[in-house]
Amino acid sequence: MTVHDMNKVHLKFSKPYRIQVYLKKLGKLISQCDKIVCISQFVANDVKHYFPESANKISVIYNGADKLVSDENHQPAFKPGKKFLFTIGLLSVQKGFHLLPALLKDNNFELVISGRETPHKQRILEEAEKHNCLDRVHITGPISDEDKAWYYKNCDAFLFPSVAEGFGLPVIEAMHFGKPVFLSKFTSLPEVGGDIAYYFDNFEREHMQEVFNKGMSDFTQNNRYKQAVAQAEKFSWEIAANQYLNLYQEVLDQ
């Protein structure tokens, strides 16, 4: 059995009785398995915390990530008019996209947010208006892989202040293009971003602006492009497949 995340237990708006139903169902499944794979150490720690009896069954096998290819002739459905920052994911409160308009202070960046829209979109727009950058925040809705690759290739940085991630695939996709990535320090993201990412320790506006400004300067001045690519290449489907095959063989040999 593979456990991708236990995000429900980390979301403050999850109702307690729903969490208990979820844990009971998950615990029953876990009890029936000989081996449990978790896609990050963070998820493994969650499983051990709620189901300590499963500790000796758990292995961590990170997801891989396909390296997207950007077609030089492709033009996205929405093309920013100037330098821009990018993020992608479900427009839900735990992704933290409403925190990002504050990073447009004292610069000329535009912000492109892609992904399936929810009512939380309005909160993002309200924050953009509050920070006087509504004209520079663009919410595209879902996008094609071609558009996504174009945004990764052409953005100046990738932003991902999520507080509930089992892995964080978009972070790797951005680093494949050698981009600076700015992440929350929470859940699994530090495992994916490693030492090359820049982390928000909290979501106070001044702190986030400081991390962003210092990170952008550091990345440029020290030419960290190759380090970002090298970090991304630590995660491949070939590595994951071999680790799964070894685990299957271990089960068969028992």
Side-chain angles (χ1 to χ4, degrees):
M1 177 182 178
T2 297
V3 181
H4 288 266
D5 66 65
M6 291 181 59
N7 287 344
K8 276 187 174 61
V9 303
H10 298 286
L11 302 178
K12 294 179 180 179
F13 53 80
S14 294
K15 295 182 179 179
Y17 79 89
R18 288 187 175 175
I19 292 177
Q20 291 306 313
V21 170
Y22 164 75
L23 289 174
K24 184 176 180 180
K25 181 179 179 181
L26 182 58
K28 183 178 180 180
L29 292 171
I30 285 175
S31 70
Q32 296 170 345
C33 296
D34 296 301
K35 296 290 183 182
I36 307 296
V37 174
C38 297
I39 64 170
S40 65
Q41 187 59 53
F42 179 82
V43 176
N45 292 342
D46 271 351
V47 175
K48 291 176 186 177
H49 175 76
Y50 287 96
F51 309 102
E53 69 281 1
S54 69
N56 62 348
K57 299 181 180 182
I58 296 173
S59 299
V60 173
I61 298 178
Y62 289 107
N63 280 345
D66 294 324
K67 186 173 183 180
L68 299 174
V69 177
S70 178
D71 182 348
E72 292 183 4
N73 298 317
H74 178 74
Q75 295 295 313
F78 169 75
K79 185 176 181 180
K82 46 191 169 184
K83 298 188 304 180
F84 70 98
L85 312 175
F86 180 52
T87 192
I88 186 169
L90 177 69
L91 270 64
S92 57
V93 64
Q94 63 263 31
K95 294 293 185 184
F97 296 159
H98 60 285
L99 302 164
L100 299 179
L103 297 182
L104 301 185
K105 180 183 178 184
D106 299 329
N107 59 53
N108 292 316
F109 286 121
E110 295 186 31
L111 171 63
V112 175
I113 302 173
S114 297
R116 185 159 62 86
E117 297 181 8
T118 71
H120 186 63
K121 173 183 177 178
Q122 187 57 37
R123 171 80 187 281
I124 299 170
L125 296 175
E126 288 170 0
E127 287 295 312
E129 190 168 12
K130 172 182 170 184
H131 294 290
N132 298 314
C133 60
L134 188 58
D135 60 328
R136 292 188 285 141
V137 174
H138 311 284
I139 299 176
T140 68
I143 56 174
S144 67
D145 285 346
E146 291 79 12
D147 279 12
K148 181 166 67 168
W150 191 94
Y151 287 136
Y152 281 133
K153 181 180 179 180
N154 291 282
C155 71
D156 283 75
F158 181 75
L159 313 172
F160 208 61
S162 177
V163 296
E165 292 296 324
F167 183 64
L169 179 61
V171 179
I172 299 172
E173 292 177 335
M175 290 191 297
H176 268 308
F177 284 92
K179 299 299 178 176
V181 295
F182 293 85
L183 318 174
S184 80
K185 71 170 185 178
F186 305 105
T187 64
S188 65
L189 293 177
E191 295 177 62
V192 177
D195 295 335
I196 187 61
Y198 304 97
Y199 294 98
F200 303 122
D201 293 330
N202 60 64
F203 300 123
E204 294 296 326
R205 183 182 63 194
E206 292 81 4
H207 169 72
M208 292 184 70
Q209 290 169 346
E210 181 181 12
V211 170
F212 176 71
N213 292 329
K214 286 184 176 179
M216 291 296 283
S217 295
D218 173 73
F219 196 89
T220 302
Q221 291 171 7
N222 294 292
N223 194 22
R224 299 194 186 279
Y225 169 90
K226 289 183 179 178
Q227 290 172 263
V229 174
Q231 178 66 17
E233 290 177 346
K234 293 178 181 178
F235 303 92
S236 79
W237 288 119
E238 184 176 0
I239 293 171
N242 285 330
Q243 290 176 332
Y244 268 104
L245 285 170
N246 290 336
L247 187 61
Y248 295 156
Q249 190 61 53
E250 185 182 323
V251 174
L252 288 170
D253 291 343
Q254 287 180 347

